[in-house]
Amino acid sequence: MFYHFHPYKPFIFEDTNTLIIGTLPPPRFCEKDFKDGDVDFCYGSKNNQLWPAIDKIFNLNLLYDNSNKSINQRKSFLKKNYIGICDIVESCHREKFDASDLGMQNVKLRNIIEILENYKNINKIIFTGKNSKNSPEYFFRKQISNTYTMKLKENEFIREHTINISNRKITIFSLTSPSNAANRSIGSSNLYKLRKKQNPNYSTFLFRVDEYKFAFF
């Protein structure tokens, strides 16, 4: 079994108001065995579309290489916009050397509830995945099961909930995974098919951009 641990500490500050929560980066990030186009930071895999989507939404002109400048660009953006990143999985074991959420075993979680109770400016959570097994929302629901309740909010475009923690309402968006593995599920969605029909140039990447733009704004 391969021991897969999270190589990055939570990136979060006292004034953070939006928290991005995923699971784990690919195992090669634990071993610092980067590919061309990887960035040594959260969601830095060349195959992950979170930063390209953010780049397009905010017009950041980011670099995509293994340099300190690439890392600092992302950290600067997050601090400037009061956005934090704290993935929910601390470590797991795997039989295969891959990043599949379903392949995680013996999962050790970070205490997201404690973080939300301590960082009282957080009023929005963005999950980089929906409620499938071993997704960030899936694990979060396990953590809150005996204490808090997520309330579904009617929204035809995006998966949205609210939760009350420490006497404040937090809005939760569960978005399509930025991993390319989610392209098939996007392609089968009625909303994507409708937009594709309206615009033949519409892509799975633009679908993510639309979702993330809705969540961030």
Side-chain angles (χ1 to χ4, degrees):
M1 296 284 282
F2 172 73
Y3 177 63
H4 186 183
F5 63 92
H6 205 299
Y8 305 115
K9 294 180 179 179
F11 190 85
I12 185 171
F13 300 90
E14 191 64 36
D15 56 358
T16 296
N17 59 35
T18 298
L19 193 62
I20 298 172
I21 301 177
T23 52
L24 283 168
R28 67 178 184 275
F29 279 71
C30 302
E31 301 185 345
K32 303 296 182 182
D33 183 20
F34 300 115
K35 296 181 179 180
D36 289 342
D38 283 345
V39 179
D40 188 9
F41 189 61
C42 306
Y43 298 92
S45 169
K46 62 178 294 183
N47 300 315
N48 191 294
Q49 297 192 39
L50 175 64
W51 282 113
I54 290 175
D55 196 350
K56 184 172 181 63
I57 292 167
F58 292 92
N59 194 28
L60 300 178
N61 195 28
L62 295 175
L63 295 174
Y64 295 87
D65 58 29
N66 189 18
S67 67
N68 287 331
K69 186 173 182 179
S70 293
I71 298 169
N72 291 333
Q73 282 181 329
R74 287 154 177 77
K75 289 182 176 180
S76 177
F77 163 79
L78 293 171
K79 289 180 181 178
K80 181 179 178 180
N81 290 276
Y82 309 107
I83 300 170
I85 297 177
C86 181
D87 290 338
I88 197 168
V89 177
E90 182 67 36
S91 65
C92 69
H93 288 87
R94 297 181 180 277
E95 292 182 356
K96 295 181 179 180
F97 193 83
D98 63 21
S100 165
D101 283 347
L102 288 176
M104 293 189 292
Q105 302 179 38
N106 307 320
V107 179
K108 180 180 178 182
L109 300 177
R110 291 171 172 170
N111 192 336
I112 300 298
I113 301 302
E114 185 177 89
I115 288 171
L116 294 175
E117 290 173 342
N118 290 336
Y119 290 88
K120 299 186 183 303
N121 288 313
I122 296 174
N123 56 34
K124 184 188 295 182
I125 291 172
I126 295 177
F127 287 131
T128 58
K130 299 184 181 179
N131 193 30
S132 56
K133 185 177 180 181
N134 289 358
S135 70
E137 182 187 326
Y138 173 89
F139 287 129
F140 183 73
R141 285 182 177 276
K142 283 193 168 185
Q143 290 191 337
I144 68 171
S145 60
N146 297 320
T147 312
Y148 300 103
T149 302
M150 288 171 59
K151 296 181 180 180
L152 182 65
K153 185 175 180 179
E154 289 296 328
N155 191 326
E156 61 180 313
F157 301 110
I158 200 168
R159 184 174 173 83
E160 181 177 355
H161 291 81
T162 60
I163 191 170
N164 288 305
I165 294 179
S166 298
N167 297 316
R168 74 185 190 278
K169 184 175 77 171
I170 300 174
T171 301
I172 300 173
F173 295 105
S174 299
L175 307 185
T176 302
S177 169
S179 167
N180 285 329
N183 287 347
R184 180 175 294 181
S185 65
I186 294 175
S188 64
S189 75
N190 291 331
L191 182 57
Y192 174 79
K193 290 176 181 177
L194 175 62
R195 292 174 178 173
K196 185 73 170 178
K197 185 176 181 180
Q198 294 169 340
N199 175 13
N201 294 321
Y202 195 71
S203 65
T204 55
F205 172 69
L206 292 177
F207 183 88
R208 288 182 177 87
V209 168
D210 287 342
E211 272 201 348
Y212 280 74
K213 187 174 182 178
F214 188 103
F216 278 116
F217 292 104

